[in-house]
Amino acid sequence: MSNDTSQVLQQQVVAAMEQDIPLQIVGGNSKAFYGRNIGNKETLSVHSHSGILTYEPTELVLTARAGTLLREIEKTLHENNQMLGFEPPAFGDRATLGGTIAGNFSGPRRAYAGAARDFVLGCKLLNGKGEILSFGGEVMKNVAGYDISRLMVGGLGTLGVLLDVSLKVLPKPDVEKTRVIECHADEALQKMHHWAGRPLPISATCFYRSQLMVRLSGAEKAVKAAADVIGGDDLPQGDTFWRDVKEQKLTFFQTQKPVWRLSVASDTAPFMLEDESLYEWGGALRWLVSEMPHEVVRNSVADGHACVFRNHAGQGDVFQALSPGLMRIHQQLKKAFDPKGILNPGKLYAEF
Amino acid sequence: MLSRIGPALKSQSAIKMTNHVHDETSDIDIDINKMSFVSALKKIIPSTDILHEREDLHPYECDGLSAYRQIPWVVVLPSTVDQVQRVLGLCQQHKVPVVARGAGTGLSGGALPHQQGVLLSLAKFKQILHIDAKRRIAQVQPGVRNLAISQAADQYGLYYAPDPSSQIACTIGGNVAENSGGVHCLKYGLTVHNIQQLKIVTIEGELLSIGGNGLDAAGYDLLALMTGSEGMLGVIVEVTVKLLPKPERAQVMLAAYDDVQKACEAVSNIIAAGVIPAGLEMMDKLAISAAEDFAHAGYPLDAEAILLCELDGTNEEVSEHIAKVRSILLSSGATSVHTAKDEAERLTFWRGRKAAFPAVGRISPDYYCMDGTIPRKQLPKVLKTIAQWSQHYDLRVANVFHAGDGNLHPLILYDANKPGELERTEAFGGKILELCVAVGGTITGEHGVGMEKINQMCVQFARLELSQFHAIKAAFDPQGLLNPGKAVPTLHRCAEFGAMHIHQGQLPFPELERF
């Protein structure tokens, strides 16, 4: 499926700007739960702007339109023994590339290979003035002009509507193996830090209910040797486990309570909070199911980022508050891209 | 490392560039005379850390791009963040431009002073504040040298991955401002992939903390926006970098080819086989002979091209990959493949590559280093065109190339004392950058735009994109006081440049092949 609807999208944005009509940007609508609730707005539908534009396996680069389904991209890469290095969660069959990048959605491999933002090489976007702009490109190194492509990642469409995105892709590892070790949280953190300081081919870690899971990826002999260093036992069907972590299929995530995503210093001590938690990224990502007051959770992540990932139910804010200075910069940047504030207004913060 | 070296100061060029700076910033209107400004500075900073006499200002007149020179108005050397905040506040109050400077090793004139501005040297910010081996981060001041971080982290078995060739001298603040790369980018990324937190001071004098303790911070990715922003958005006063465990083993292979095309195919075949080398470098015949003559690295002088392929990781992984890559190199037509037999030989193989620039400096009075990046598949085409142009412009070119990530460093050899050679060199260099854009690449992979490539930005970007850049700049610095005239050209400048380009409806060198 390949279809260029950029002109239609542009016309809709121009009309919205002229009439001061706020728009909500929608791709596959697989992640509507994420971000602040901005009520009913006119929809700017990006999903039909789709298709892989270029893919050169030996250049390690893929460019696709924002509405391209994530699973189509992953299938194409798989056929060439390659993958998206940031292992993005899809949260449904309809997930698109645009939404994945706009939210900087990155999976278990993130701490070891990089986040979505680390793999973005370039983009074409539609700003709030209805201008179609191209930044970056399809090369690995490019320092001409400000890095607007990466600025878009995680902006939830508030600075611009992604039209096309170029990504660096990676070869698939020859072999992957998952080990499981029974231990307590403190011990798990200690082990993850011990290994992280050594050259081991670790590509994912997860601690949940007294079990530490460690994925090793790479050349066959290297994985085998590392498995001996790590210890523990082989986890059969490791692939299924990591897919369930990534897609939040584990029972941990099956809840109506708020699910917090805490980005913290990796050696942060296990929370005193009573509620259940799941660790990833060598301890740098903590998922927490908790109905504690927001301030209590937010205050527990010194210089980190606590976000109500799911089930925020409109109470309190979703993302960690910005310092007054950073908020001012954010508002000025928003104006620089979207002077009338029509693109997903309020999706990140109430102020813009 | 100097990109243009030579005994002769290119006064003609310097005057030309000085005028450019002046043109670009004619809307800046300083409302204070120099002595009053210096008096005001003395209330903030000890007078010994303020330079304003002409003889004291000379050492700051250029960065690594020495063909562009400008004596600054005043040089200030603060030693605390508070002083930086107050100096910037004072500059904003009096509309005085500010150019931040680290070690001054940049290759694009990014730290070229402003004739009516403060040159803000961060040389006194030399402290490694904290290394946290457990979190694998180093919190450092901006004037800390790139290599010093890895040296300090070494005792923990850690290192800082980006390794620009100037890493002995260049500072981390400058690395962030330029988003510096190095020879290990394909596997380990650029500066932007290897930092976690920044502290910056805005032109208002406000201290902002960007990024955080975790891997992801709230809000927009200002860490990415600041990285590579060339001192246009704020002054970096602290950097927290990520450290990596040192690989268990690193091994390098040297492959010789009788045809550049075959070497290019080998690079693609290695990637296609699912191997990401830690470093993958190519040199052409002229570069090989200059480097060999200078560094005695054991390079084959009869080769048209050599590839240096470094593999790192665990012992087992390196062994497996060495076997795989060796067979790929041979089946791609290598006339010889040598694997370094020990660490000493590995360093010898690299010594030639790392000495390529000074080595070329020995065979020519001056050289001009380009920094375009292209999709790798375009390499044979681009090299062929550069060779054709080399004949037309009557200037030799040595090609050094980060083959893994498509970053070209053609070195144009010239003699500034021969009338017209510098101008021909600049014209030739400009054509190479435009060629990089035409084949889907970029004018700068790692050196930055600075003052040097400001005209080529008009080729890389159209009016709307440039306007968006200016809007971002205004979001941080509405008066345009930070590093004015650099990195992003005015629309007016591009209009003039475009007019010059299609002079009388004809491109320069219409007889040459274009694509």
Side-chain angles (χ1 to χ4, degrees):
Chain A
M1 250 201 319
S2 184
N3 194 16
D4 182 355
T5 65
S6 56
Q7 301 302 316
V8 179
L9 293 168
Q10 184 177 30
Q11 285 161 15
Q12 195 182 345
V13 170
V14 169
M17 180 192 61
E18 285 168 354
Q19 297 161 49
D20 272 321
I21 299 170
L23 300 170
Q24 57 176 334
I25 308 162
V26 178
N29 209 26
S30 56
K31 299 172 187 72
F33 62 85
Y34 186 68
R36 297 180 74 256
N37 186 348
I38 59 171
N40 275 331
K41 302 264 187 296
E42 182 181 318
T43 298
L44 184 77
S45 181
V46 186
H47 79 273
S48 50
H49 182 68
S50 66
I52 294 173
L53 296 170
T54 57
Y55 172 42
E56 306 254 2
T58 62
E59 299 279 335
L60 298 176
V61 175
L62 177 141
T63 299
R65 294 194 181 103
T68 313
L69 294 178
L70 198 55
R71 61 186 157 93
E72 184 190 336
I73 291 171
E74 288 181 325
K75 181 167 169 283
T76 304
L77 291 171
H78 178 72
E79 286 162 4
N80 289 277
N81 205 30
Q82 293 188 335
M83 63 179 188
L84 294 175
F86 53 103
E87 204 176 0
F91 304 132
D93 282 350
R94 303 294 305 159
T96 61
L97 175 63
T100 301
I101 299 303
N104 193 21
F105 288 102
S106 311
R109 211 178 297 270
R110 187 263 180 267
Y112 310 91
R117 61 88 87 168
D118 292 306
F119 288 91
V120 168
L121 299 175
C123 73
K124 188 189 272 187
L125 66 92
L126 183 55
N127 69 12
K129 295 189 267 185
E131 296 167 343
I132 293 179
L133 311 171
S134 291
F135 298 102
E138 296 192 316
V139 291
M140 299 293 156
K141 286 159 97 176
N142 186 351
V143 293
Y146 304 124
D147 196 346
I148 291 179
S149 311
R150 286 198 177 88
L151 180 63
M152 291 296 128
V153 187
L156 293 181
T158 57
L159 294 177
V161 184
L162 288 168
L163 292 175
D164 306 342
V165 180
S166 296
L167 296 170
K168 178 184 178 183
V169 301
L170 289 182
K172 285 200 164 183
D174 295 345
V175 178
E176 296 207 308
K177 183 196 267 296
T178 299
R179 300 289 269 187
V180 53
I181 296 160
E182 299 280 337
C183 60
H184 297 297
D186 287 318
E187 208 182 333
L189 284 173
Q190 189 262 328
K191 281 180 185 297
M192 287 191 284
H193 282 89
H194 177 73
W195 297 326
R198 277 146 195 80
L200 293 167
I202 294 174
S203 68
T205 45
C206 175
F207 174 76
Y208 176 49
R209 288 191 177 163
S210 303
Q211 287 196 315
L212 172 60
M213 265 66 66
V214 182
R215 185 176 63 192
L216 301 161
S217 307
E220 191 176 352
K221 285 178 189 157
V223 167
K224 197 162 174 292
D228 293 339
V229 174
I230 298 286
D233 304 306
D234 276 342
L235 180 75
Q237 290 167 329
D239 292 354
T240 311
F241 173 76
W242 294 109
R243 196 176 60 229
D244 289 349
V245 171
K246 171 170 80 98
E247 299 297 339
Q248 304 191 335
K249 299 283 191 203
L250 300 178
T251 49
F252 172 83
F253 293 102
Q254 312 312 313
T255 177
Q256 301 305 310
K257 294 180 189 171
V259 177
W260 287 82
R261 181 186 184 282
L262 313 179
S263 185
V264 293
S266 58
D267 61 349
T268 303
F271 292 110
M272 292 301 110
L273 310 172
E274 295 298 312
D275 309 81
E276 207 179 17
S277 58
L278 181 149
Y279 299 3
E280 285 192 74
W281 301 359
L285 178 66
R286 315 272 172 104
W287 296 98
L288 184 72
V289 173
S290 174
E291 288 181 306
M292 294 271 217
H294 282 201
E295 311 81 72
V296 174
V297 180
R298 293 199 192 283
N299 291 339
S300 70
V301 296
D303 223 1
H305 175 202
C307 143
V308 195
F309 193 78
R310 287 182 189 267
N311 310 330
H312 51 80
Q315 48 152 327
D317 226 328
V318 171
F319 301 103
Q320 193 89 1
L322 300 173
S323 69
L326 282 184
M327 176 53 81
R328 201 185 63 248
I329 295 282
H330 276 67
Q331 288 171 302
Q332 284 163 358
L333 277 173
K334 171 73 172 172
K335 278 206 187 88
F337 281 87
D338 177 18
K340 289 225 176 156
I342 56 165
L343 301 176
N344 272 355
K347 189 78 182 167
L348 270 179
Y349 291 96
E351 289 86 342
F352 56 92
Chain B
M1 191 170 297
L2 304 182
S3 71
R4 298 174 182 203
I5 55 174
L9 166 63
K10 294 86 184 177
S11 52
Q12 195 179 353
S13 172
I15 289 163
K16 184 177 74 184
M17 294 321 301
T18 304
N19 287 342
H20 280 324
V21 174
H22 188 65
D23 288 348
E24 288 289 329
T25 56
S26 52
D27 54 335
I28 288 179
D29 194 11
I30 298 173
D31 67 4
I32 187 167
N33 69 43
K34 185 161 162 176
M35 286 335 288
S36 314
F37 184 70
V38 169
S39 304
L41 280 173
K42 283 179 181 169
K43 289 176 190 150
I44 301 173
I45 287 191
S47 53
T48 47
D49 296 333
I50 302 166
L51 310 177
H52 56 90
E53 302 291 351
R54 198 169 169 86
E55 62 271 23
D56 297 330
L57 299 173
H58 266 293
Y60 296 91
E61 68 180 352
C62 67
D63 60 11
L65 185 69
S66 58
Y68 295 10
R69 290 167 193 256
Q70 172 63 59
I71 301 285
W73 200 48
V74 180
V75 174
V76 181
L77 295 122
S79 47
T80 67
V81 171
D82 179 60
Q83 287 173 351
V84 173
Q85 290 182 260
R86 291 167 69 192
V87 168
L88 286 171
L90 184 70
C91 289
Q92 195 216 18
Q93 186 190 339
H94 296 292
K95 298 183 206 138
V96 174
V98 181
V99 177
R101 175 184 166 112
T105 56
L107 295 173
S108 57
L112 181 75
H114 191 282
Q115 62 185 353
Q116 289 176 291
V118 164
L119 193 283
L120 186 74
S121 167
L122 293 142
K124 294 197 168 190
F125 287 82
K126 281 186 190 159
Q127 296 296 312
I128 294 180
L129 300 170
H130 179 56
I131 290 186
D132 189 326
K134 205 171 171 200
R135 293 183 187 175
R136 302 175 310 284
I137 51 169
Q139 190 186 356
V140 305
Q141 292 190 321
V144 171
R145 291 174 304 113
N146 173 295
L147 190 60
I149 300 174
S150 289
Q151 285 167 342
D154 189 67
Q155 59 182 308
Y156 308 106
L158 303 171
Y159 77 113
Y160 175 63
D163 59 343
S165 57
S166 56
Q167 70 176 150
I168 302 172
C170 65
T171 60
I172 192 69
N175 287 180
V176 174
E178 300 293 325
N179 194 12
S180 301
V183 297
H184 294 104
C185 294
L186 183 65
K187 186 167 179 181
Y188 296 105
L190 305 154
T191 304
V192 71
H193 301 107
N194 289 281
I195 59 172
Q196 185 165 306
Q197 195 166 19
L198 289 178
K199 287 188 181 151
I200 68 158
V201 177
T202 66
I203 187 65
E204 285 96 4
E206 186 174 10
L207 181 66
L208 295 179
S209 181
I210 291 173
N213 261 337
L215 292 175
D216 300 309
Y220 295 139
D221 196 338
L222 300 182
L223 206 58
L225 183 61
M226 285 305 301
T227 310
S229 63
E230 303 197 19
M232 304 280 288
L233 306 180
V235 174
I236 296 157
V237 292
E238 193 184 297
V239 185
T240 301
V241 303
K242 296 179 185 172
L243 302 172
L244 296 177
K246 286 164 70 181
E248 192 173 27
R249 180 178 162 203
Q251 184 64 275
V252 72
M253 279 184 277
L254 169 64
Y257 289 86
D258 57 11
D259 180 355
V260 174
Q261 173 86 39
K262 288 181 192 165
C264 296
E265 280 165 17
V267 172
S268 291
N269 294 342
I270 291 168
I271 306 285
V275 177
I276 305 284
L280 191 51
E281 297 287 306
M282 193 189 295
M283 292 164 75
D284 74 355
K285 194 168 187 123
L286 185 53
I288 295 167
S289 86
E292 180 58 21
D293 195 34
F294 182 68
H296 310 295
Y299 294 168
L301 291 169
D302 54 345
E304 285 298 316
I306 58 166
L307 276 183
L308 280 173
C309 179
E310 179 153 293
L311 299 160
D312 71 8
T314 63
N315 196 20
E316 297 81 6
E317 187 177 17
V318 173
S319 295
E320 224 176 289
H321 283 168
I322 288 266
K324 207 173 191 177
V325 170
R326 186 180 170 81
S327 97
I328 294 167
L329 291 169
L330 287 169
S331 64
S332 313
T335 52
S336 68
V337 178
H338 291 288
T339 305
K341 61 178 185 296
D342 52 24
E343 181 66 8
E345 193 172 43
R346 182 180 85 87
L347 296 175
T348 304
F349 283 178
W350 274 115
R351 191 165 68 224
R353 165 61 187 89
K354 292 197 170 174
F357 288 16
V360 167
R362 290 210 320 175
I363 62 167
S364 172
D366 305 270
Y367 69 86
Y368 185 27
C369 174
M370 314 304 300
D371 177 43
T373 301
I374 56 170
R376 235 182 300 100
K377 64 181 173 189
Q378 301 285 1
L379 182 63
K381 208 169 170 181
V382 168
L383 288 181
K384 196 171 145 228
T385 309
I386 290 176
Q388 283 174 10
W389 286 348
S390 169
Q391 291 190 356
H392 275 274
Y393 284 97
D394 193 21
L395 293 164
R396 290 185 298 163
V397 179
N399 284 292
V400 181
F401 182 44
H402 300 305
D405 47 32
N407 191 193
L408 293 166
H409 290 316
L411 305 169
I412 305 173
L413 280 50
Y414 71 102
D415 181 351
N417 288 328
K418 288 189 185 160
E421 278 216 353
L422 175 63
E423 289 69 22
R424 281 215 314 285
T425 302
E426 286 194 318
F428 184 7
K431 297 315 294 175
I432 293 176
L433 296 187
E434 288 158 32
L435 176 64
C436 291
V437 174
V439 300
T442 173
I443 58 172
T444 175
E446 57 184 2
H447 296 171
V449 173
M451 200 63 239
E452 179 204 22
K453 301 177 202 77
I454 195 93
N455 286 335
Q456 277 72 36
M457 281 292 281
C458 310
V459 178
Q460 178 106 49
F461 293 103
R463 187 178 57 84
L464 290 178
E465 281 82 5
L466 292 171
S467 298
Q468 188 66 69
F469 286 144
H470 288 300
I472 288 176
K473 165 78 169 164
F476 284 80
D477 175 20
Q479 294 168 289
L481 296 175
L482 290 167
N483 220 1
K486 313 275 181 62
V488 183
T490 59
L491 298 180
H492 176 71
R493 185 187 189 106
C494 286
E496 284 192 343
F497 180 70
M500 181 187 85
H501 245 48
I502 46 162
H503 188 60
Q504 295 172 340
Q506 209 175 31
L507 286 160
F509 298 96
E511 70 281 14
L512 295 178
E513 185 187 354
R514 286 171 202 281
F515 42 81

